[in-house]
Amino acid sequence: MSNGLLNIGRTGLQVSQNQLNTTGNNITNANTPGYSRQRVDVATQDSFLTAAGYIGTGARAIDIERVVNQFVIEQVRVSGSAYSHLDEYSSKLSNLDNLLANKSSAMSDVLNTFTAAVATASDDPSSLPARESVLAQSRILAERFNTLDKTMSDIATGINDELASITQQINILSSAIGTLNKQIVESSGNASIQGPNSLFDQRDELLKELSTLVNVSVVNENDGSANVFFGNGQSLVVGATTYEVRTIQGKADPSRADLVIQDGATLKTITQDVTGGKMGGLLEYRKNFLDPAINELGRMAITISDTMNRIQSGGLDLEGHYGSDLFRDINDRESVLSRVAYHVENKAPNDRIISVDITDTSKLSADNYEMRLTGGAPSVFEIIDGNGSVVKTGGLDGVFPQTIEMDGFKITLESGNFSNGDKFIIKPTHNGAGNISLTGIQADGLAFAQPIVTGTSSGNTGNGSISKGNVVSAVDPKTGELLPSFQKAGALAPPLLIQFTSETSYDVLDNTDPSNPISLVPPLENLSFTPGISNEILPGNTGQTFMISDGFNAARTPMVNEVVSGPIGTEAPNAIVDEVITISRTLDNGHIDTQKLVIPQGQSAQAAAALMSEADGVSATASSYAEFNVLDNGVGTDFEFYLNGKQLTLSQPNLLGTLPSPMTNDYLADAINADGNLQAQGIRAVSDGKSVKVYSNQGVDLKFQVEGGTGDSVEFKGKAPASALGTVNVNNPVNFNAGGPNSFNLDLFDGPAGASNPRTVELEGSFSDTTLLLEHVQTQVDKAFGEAGKVTVAQNPDGTIRFDTVDNDMATRLRVTGPLGADPLGMAAAVAQGTQRPDDILQVSGIGAGNVQALSFAGQVSVTMEDGYSLGTDAASRGNFFSQSSTAQSAFMGYGLSISGNPDKGDQFTVDFNTDGTSDNRNAQALIQLMDKQTVGGQASFQQAYSQIVEKVATETFEAKSNRDAAKVVHEQAVSQRNSISAVNLDEEAANLIKFEQIYNASSQIINVSRQTFDTLLGIFR
């Protein structure tokens, strides 16, 4: 019995000793970070059977365990990771918010000051000090963009450094966790026994610290080790094995560090997969706010540069010259190349060259795009936006350069070995704020005046009033080049005459020669006017395009076999045949909407224009033209001449004076202009005595009949020029230096009284590019004549060169003479042909009294299409009204003007070059008005665009701070819950200490009783 009691006492001492030691350890580690209080798990020892029943044998300590709840520990890690993420995110956003909203660094005040400086200069546009102030504010504006861009770029670089630092910390922590895993497994020995508690605590503390850097998931194994994963299930620690995380130069964008993890012999990019913790906060801030803010600011800077430069280019400086750029060209070579980042894993050789040109700032977004090339050549491209959506795809033909048009910009694959799998990041606006800078423009170079001035004829009888006019843009939005209106220094090309043909219609004519206004190309004639209100006179939509009918049958001289003979009254049909016109428009969903219009055989241009104007997105006008020269011998059968049923050779002495014999061109022109029926058809005539030019601004067919003897005739012609043709195919390389000097002479017989006046065209250089060759020859031709616009250079379908006179009237002559040298263009045949007249002159002779020779000139159609519309035809290759090669051009002249009131028929208004614009401030006013226009992305003014950036950042900053504060509460609650379970409570431990001490003393007393009992037993047997 005493032995059993002794054992029971002994086990009690051992258990209580363990409990006292554990309690003491808890107390001494009360302030140790990560320490979890421990407790001794006690179990009853096996009992043994006696006659009286089962007797206990004491207690035993089966385990010393940590008092923890794994779910709560996980919650501490998760909430800590979320709080750390939001804390870093909100901190960085707060810094960006302060940068953009701070008065000393923001854009708002700078924009206001710039506008005020321009307004002051506008009050006195000739003041040099006021102009200097505008330049100074322009410089400050550019520098503020530069400063903001530099600061944000430095932040981006700082994030790269921070990511590198965090990866080092992650590697240190993961290595320590791997080491602890190894120690825990080795220390546990037996899987049924818990491992060393201090190592578990250390590992939990490291895991908690790791979760503040990046979100991790932990999987506990049966052997006591813990595997750690992050990102998209990527292993960080598995047992004792750790995987190193690193930062490298971004593969897609070298300026943005990528995160990679060592996976065997390869590096796996994990940037897009990482979330949570400080690292997740940095990556989210960079992706969702820093880079977009840089792009938005860049878009704003690009738009300011572009729109202000356009206004400058459309104005006049103090010297009367067209303005030069105020800010650096947004599409200079450095800028277009800087908008592309090349993926580092693109195949060698790294010789690819891609440029990105901004084409329309009003359509420009602030997005970055990824371009991927696939297929063997490669043969397919994909453009992917920041959301991962494919926004454009198409084919590549393997021949470079090749251009891909996007909204607001174009991508040009210029040269290099493009390969299947190539990737590129397209960043149209990213460098915009950093690239903006002032040019070397001087104060007197600021274009505050506008180049157009309007006038009202003193003979007007109505009360119509014309506006001063306003330049919208001097630059073609499609090409970036100056519009034709502004390409000639010191002149408007062409000056305009606005002539009212009735109280409700008007023509806009080329007034280069005020004595003979002619149709524009394309014609702007027979346009509608609404009296009593302001009417816009010129096309003002930059997206509109026009197409003039250039088909074979449009406005051409009839052929000999198309002249019809018959009795008086016989009319010849025009040459128009059946034609189907297709009007197309690409919808936003990519579908193509089409409208088909059928033009029947014999349709006049007037009727065709009316039909086409019924289609959506299309307006059309028509015009007709013919030139004739009467050759009446004055003898024999009387010469009679008819136009659209009107006999022009009737005697009208009261109206036209004496009927001449032989008949004259002047008399016939007067007869045309005096006839009311012909006027009602929009027909008018102009005679220089040598020929009569007949116009109809309504596009009616011009139907002529000639009656007379065989000695009477009339020469007719359309609009064909006089031409000279080479015989060498210039698609092949041409060397003008070989066998030289090489030259030829062009003679337009424009000397006094039409005398010969040859000009020498000198040829030099060597060309393998046909376009460059044609440009060179055109330049040399213009140089020979001392001005452009005399002879144009073009290429024939067979590859040979051609020279066409710009003038196309009946008196035009062209002759080519030598010496030719080695004749590299093959002009010998043209020399042999001698003097050339236009090849569309048709001579029609009389066939006797009572019979006529009849012919008809069809007109031509001028079509204006709204943005996005196009026109096609089913006509044969040479065409009918239109041809397969008909192309649309911009209808935009670059400026607009309006006429209000009630003009009368015959009233005239003019538009000409502003030769004295010193006190003109219209272009300065245009700069002021620009500040309030919706120019940025076509949706916001400059101030609004910047305010949107600031507001977006400020809103997100407020939200992020609120989320951070909420996450902090959640994390503190999780920590509190963990502490309530696992932290040491000194009061509780002190009570335990007393309790376990009492148990220890009681166990000692059991041993004493056992000893006394044993002694008593011994005494009995002594």
Side-chain angles (χ1 to χ4, degrees):
M1 174 181 175
S2 60
N3 184 51
L5 190 61
L6 178 64
N7 284 333
I8 291 172
R10 178 180 57 78
T11 62
L13 283 176
Q14 290 174 338
V15 168
S16 58
Q17 180 66 49
N18 287 334
Q19 289 174 326
L20 285 171
N21 290 338
T22 301
T23 302
N25 187 56
N26 286 342
I27 293 172
T28 56
N29 284 285
N31 293 322
T32 301
Y35 179 79
S36 299
R37 68 186 180 91
Q38 300 173 12
R39 69 184 177 196
V40 179
D41 290 339
V42 180
T44 300
Q45 293 203 110
D46 295 339
S47 301
F48 66 92
L49 182 64
T50 67
Y54 284 94
I55 301 295
T57 59
R60 58 187 175 90
I62 60 174
D63 188 22
I64 299 176
E65 67 171 352
R66 297 185 304 150
V67 182
V68 295
N69 184 311
Q70 289 298 331
F71 174 77
V72 173
I73 291 175
E74 179 68 17
Q75 286 300 107
V76 170
R77 284 198 296 264
V78 171
S79 62
S81 181
Y83 170 66
S84 179
H85 174 114
L86 289 168
D87 186 51
E88 185 67 24
Y89 182 55
S90 64
S91 174
K92 286 291 189 289
L93 275 173
S94 181
N95 292 338
L96 182 61
D97 184 36
N98 292 335
L99 173 68
L100 295 174
N102 191 293
K103 191 172 183 179
S104 63
S105 58
M107 293 296 308
S108 299
D109 286 351
V110 175
L111 288 168
N112 289 334
T113 306
F114 171 82
T115 305
V118 177
T120 300
S122 177
D123 293 336
D124 185 5
S126 62
S127 169
L128 284 176
R131 287 168 168 264
E132 290 287 359
S133 177
V134 173
L135 280 184
Q137 292 303 321
S138 301
R139 185 174 294 105
I140 291 172
L141 178 65
E143 290 173 351
R144 181 60 55 86
F145 273 115
N146 298 157
T147 300
L148 284 173
D149 182 79
K150 175 66 165 56
T151 302
M152 288 192 285
S153 295
D154 288 345
I155 292 173
T157 301
I159 289 176
N160 290 344
D161 295 338
E162 287 187 77
L163 290 174
S165 175
I166 292 173
T167 57
Q168 292 179 359
Q169 297 175 57
I170 289 174
N171 291 332
I172 291 171
L173 291 172
S174 59
S175 177
I177 291 169
T179 300
L180 286 172
N181 275 343
K182 181 180 180 181
Q183 293 175 355
I184 288 170
V185 171
E186 291 175 347
S187 300
S188 296
N190 190 328
S192 64
I193 300 177
Q194 289 284 345
N197 291 329
S198 61
L199 297 183
F200 284 118
D201 283 345
Q202 291 176 47
R203 189 176 68 187
D204 282 349
E205 186 66 12
L206 292 176
L207 288 169
K208 185 178 75 171
E209 187 176 349
L210 179 62
S211 68
T212 65
L213 301 179
V214 65
N215 190 37
V216 296
S217 60
V218 180
V219 177
N220 293 310
E221 298 293 340
N222 292 333
D223 62 0
S225 64
N227 297 333
V228 183
F229 306 92
F230 77 128
N232 191 22
Q234 181 62 47
S235 300
L236 186 61
V237 181
V238 177
T241 303
T242 59
Y243 298 86
E244 183 183 7
V245 182
R246 287 192 285 170
T247 58
I248 61 170
Q249 187 181 58
K251 292 183 178 181
D253 185 351
S255 67
R256 298 295 184 263
D258 266 341
L259 297 173
V260 296
I261 191 165
Q262 190 77 42
D263 187 4
T266 62
L267 293 176
K268 181 180 179 181
T269 303
I270 56 172
T271 310
Q272 302 300 323
D273 300 328
V274 171
T275 60
K278 185 176 181 180
M279 179 176 282
L282 287 173
L283 292 173
E284 182 181 2
Y285 166 71
R286 184 177 76 179
K287 177 182 178 182
N288 293 343
F289 279 90
L290 180 61
D291 284 345
I294 293 174
N295 288 354
E296 288 283 4
L297 201 65
R299 177 171 69 160
M300 186 176 162
I302 288 172
T303 305
I304 284 178
S305 297
D306 180 54
T307 52
M308 290 189 180
N309 284 349
R310 287 177 184 269
I311 289 177
Q312 267 285 114
S313 64
L316 300 178
D317 62 20
L318 274 180
E319 301 297 324
H321 302 140
Y322 283 114
S324 57
D325 285 350
L326 176 63
F327 295 106
R328 173 182 173 182
D329 181 7
I330 61 171
N331 286 324
D332 64 16
R333 188 62 175 167
E334 180 182 351
S335 296
V336 300
L337 294 178
S338 70
R339 296 175 182 139
V340 182
Y342 298 77
H343 201 287
V344 297
E345 293 180 351
N346 288 348
K347 296 177 182 177
N350 297 319
D351 61 351
R352 304 159 186 81
I353 298 178
I354 299 176
S355 59
V356 177
D357 290 84
I358 306 300
T359 56
D360 187 349
T361 53
S362 69
K363 296 181 180 179
L364 199 60
S365 75
D367 293 338
N368 289 346
Y369 303 85
E370 182 180 38
M371 179 169 67
R372 300 174 182 172
L373 306 186
T374 58
S379 57
V380 177
F381 70 85
E382 286 184 339
I383 308 292
I384 301 165
D385 66 12
N387 297 321
S389 301
V390 177
V391 295
K392 187 157 191 175
T393 185
L396 298 172
D397 58 16
V399 179
F400 303 104
Q402 186 160 349
T403 298
I404 302 169
E405 297 285 348
M406 300 287 292
D407 282 345
F409 65 97
K410 66 178 181 180
I411 305 167
T412 302
L413 285 65
E414 295 187 0
S415 62
N417 289 279
F418 293 95
S419 302
N420 178 26
D422 281 356
K423 297 178 183 179
F424 312 90
I425 298 298
I426 308 300
K427 304 186 292 182
T429 67
H430 190 77
N431 299 315
N435 287 344
I436 185 173
S437 62
L438 209 63
T439 62
I441 190 172
Q442 300 299 309
D444 60 357
L446 290 173
F448 286 166
Q450 292 215 336
I452 59 172
V453 61
T454 59
T456 303
S457 173
S458 59
N460 287 359
T461 58
N463 65 0
S465 174
I466 189 170
S467 67
K468 292 182 178 180
N470 181 58
V471 173
V472 179
S473 175
V475 177
D476 188 326
K478 300 291 186 183
T479 65
E481 303 294 330
L482 282 175
L483 290 164
S485 300
F486 308 104
Q487 289 181 357
K488 191 173 182 181
L492 192 64
L496 302 180
L497 173 69
I498 302 164
Q499 179 169 283
F500 278 79
T501 54
S502 73
E503 290 79 3
T504 58
S505 63
Y506 64 94
D507 296 340
V508 181
L509 304 173
D510 180 339
N511 203 33
T512 301
D513 181 2
S515 66
N516 182 30
I518 61 175
S519 297
L520 294 170
V521 179
L524 290 177
E525 297 175 10
N526 195 32
L527 303 177
S528 297
F529 183 86
T530 304
I533 65 172
S534 179
N535 290 252
E536 290 297 326
I537 300 300
L538 301 175
N541 185 345
T542 58
Q544 286 181 332
T545 57
F546 70 79
M547 182 182 289
I548 188 168
S549 55
D550 60 354
F552 177 70
N553 291 329
R556 68 170 172 85
T557 304
M559 290 183 262
V560 173
N561 62 357
E562 293 172 332
V563 177
V564 177
S565 301
I568 295 173
T570 297
E571 290 186 348
N574 67 26
I576 298 302
V577 297
D578 290 341
E579 181 175 10
V580 177
I581 301 294
T582 301
I583 306 297
S584 303
R585 179 169 70 103
T586 302
L587 305 177
D588 292 339
N589 60 11
H591 294 160
I592 298 178
D593 181 37
T594 61
Q595 306 169 73
K596 291 190 179 295
L597 310 172
V598 178
I599 298 175
Q601 180 177 353
Q603 184 87 284
S604 69
Q606 179 185 45
L611 175 66
M612 297 180 71
S613 294
E614 295 176 0
D616 292 338
V618 175
S619 62
T621 60
S623 61
S624 306
Y625 170 82
E627 184 181 2
F628 66 82
N629 174 36
V630 173
L631 301 172
D632 176 15
N633 61 12
V635 298
T637 303
D638 290 340
F639 173 79
E640 303 294 347
F641 193 54
Y642 304 82
L643 170 60
N644 285 24
K646 172 64 179 178
Q647 186 176 355
L648 303 177
T649 48
L650 288 174
S651 177
Q652 302 181 68
N654 294 332
L655 184 62
L656 302 175
T658 303
L659 184 69
S661 182
M663 182 54 63
T664 67
N665 290 321
D666 289 342
Y667 184 88
L668 293 174
D670 291 341
I672 292 172
N673 293 330
D675 186 87
N677 288 331
L678 296 180
Q679 289 179 14
Q681 298 174 65
I683 296 175
R684 63 184 177 89
V686 178
S687 172
D688 62 0
K690 299 177 182 178
S691 68
V692 178
K693 295 177 180 177
V694 182
Y695 306 88
S696 169
N697 61 15
Q698 296 181 17
V700 299
D701 288 346
L702 299 178
K703 301 178 179 181
F704 296 96
Q705 294 91 32
V706 178
E707 178 187 3
T710 56
D712 301 323
S713 65
V714 180
E715 292 181 318
F716 292 93
K717 84 170 297 292
K719 293 188 173 183
S723 303
L725 309 179
T727 58
V728 170
N729 186 343
V730 296
N731 288 325
N732 300 319
V734 177
N735 186 357
F736 290 139
N737 297 326
N742 292 310
S743 64
F744 60 93
N745 297 320
L746 288 177
D747 192 351
L748 295 179
F749 297 89
D750 55 353
S756 173
N757 186 20
R759 272 74 159 203
T760 300
V761 180
E762 297 179 346
L763 303 174
E764 57 187 9
S766 180
F767 298 89
S768 57
D769 185 298
T770 306
T771 301
L772 295 178
L773 180 143
L774 295 174
E775 289 176 352
H776 168 73
V777 176
Q778 182 69 71
T779 299
Q780 295 303 97
V781 170
D782 294 343
K783 181 179 178 181
F785 282 95
E787 62 177 308
K790 290 292 186 178
V791 175
T792 61
V793 179
Q795 188 178 23
N796 293 307
D798 64 359
T800 58
I801 199 166
R802 65 180 295 124
F803 299 87
D804 295 322
T805 59
V806 174
D807 291 336
N808 60 1
D809 57 27
M810 200 169 286
T812 299
R813 290 180 292 169
L814 175 64
R815 182 171 65 185
V816 179
T817 59
L820 302 177
D823 193 16
L825 295 176
M827 301 303 296
V831 173
Q833 289 174 345
T835 302
Q836 297 294 306
R837 297 179 69 194
D839 60 8
D840 65 339
I841 296 175
L842 172 68
Q843 187 165 350
V844 177
S845 300
I847 56 174
N851 292 291
V852 297
Q853 293 258 68
L855 66 160
S856 181
F857 283 78
Q860 62 184 8
V861 179
S862 176
V863 180
T864 300
M865 293 174 285
E866 297 302 321
D867 192 10
Y869 285 83
S870 61
L871 181 151
T873 178
D874 72 340
S877 58
R878 291 200 303 174
N880 185 47
F881 271 121
F882 296 92
S883 69
Q884 297 292 338
S885 61
S886 295
T887 55
Q889 307 171 54
S890 173
F892 184 53
M893 298 184 72
Y895 59 93
L897 53 92
S898 62
I899 294 178
S900 57
N902 297 276
D904 283 343
K905 178 182 178 181
D907 283 359
Q908 295 181 338
F909 302 88
T910 58
V911 185
D912 215 328
F913 185 75
N914 187 4
T915 57
D916 184 15
T918 304
S919 59
D920 183 1
N921 69 349
R922 283 178 293 161
N923 222 43
Q925 287 294 317
L927 278 174
I928 297 171
Q929 294 164 7
L930 175 67
M931 306 306 288
D932 294 324
K933 289 185 177 180
Q934 308 294 298
T935 52
V936 182
Q939 298 178 338
S941 67
F942 300 133
Q943 284 284 16
Q944 289 171 338
Y946 188 73
S947 296
Q948 288 171 3
I949 299 173
V950 175
E951 182 179 349
K952 182 178 180 181
V953 173
T955 300
E956 184 66 16
T957 300
F958 176 80
E959 185 176 339
K961 286 181 177 179
S962 298
N963 292 338
R964 178 201 61 189
D965 293 343
K968 183 179 181 181
V969 171
V970 171
H971 180 56
E972 288 174 346
Q973 289 175 345
V975 171
S976 177
Q977 186 178 7
R978 181 266 175 198
N979 289 341
S980 69
I981 297 172
S982 301
V984 175
N985 185 318
L986 290 176
D987 291 338
E988 181 181 345
E989 296 302 321
N992 286 338
L993 196 63
I994 294 171
K995 180 177 68 174
F996 296 147
E997 181 184 13
Q998 290 174 342
I999 294 172
Y1000 184 88
N1001 290 334
S1003 296
S1004 299
Q1005 189 62 33
I1006 290 173
I1007 293 175
N1008 287 334
V1009 170
S1010 173
R1011 186 189 58 188
Q1012 291 173 1
T1013 302
F1014 185 72
D1015 289 343
T1016 301
L1017 290 173
L1018 289 176
I1020 292 173
F1021 293 103
R1022 285 182 184 149

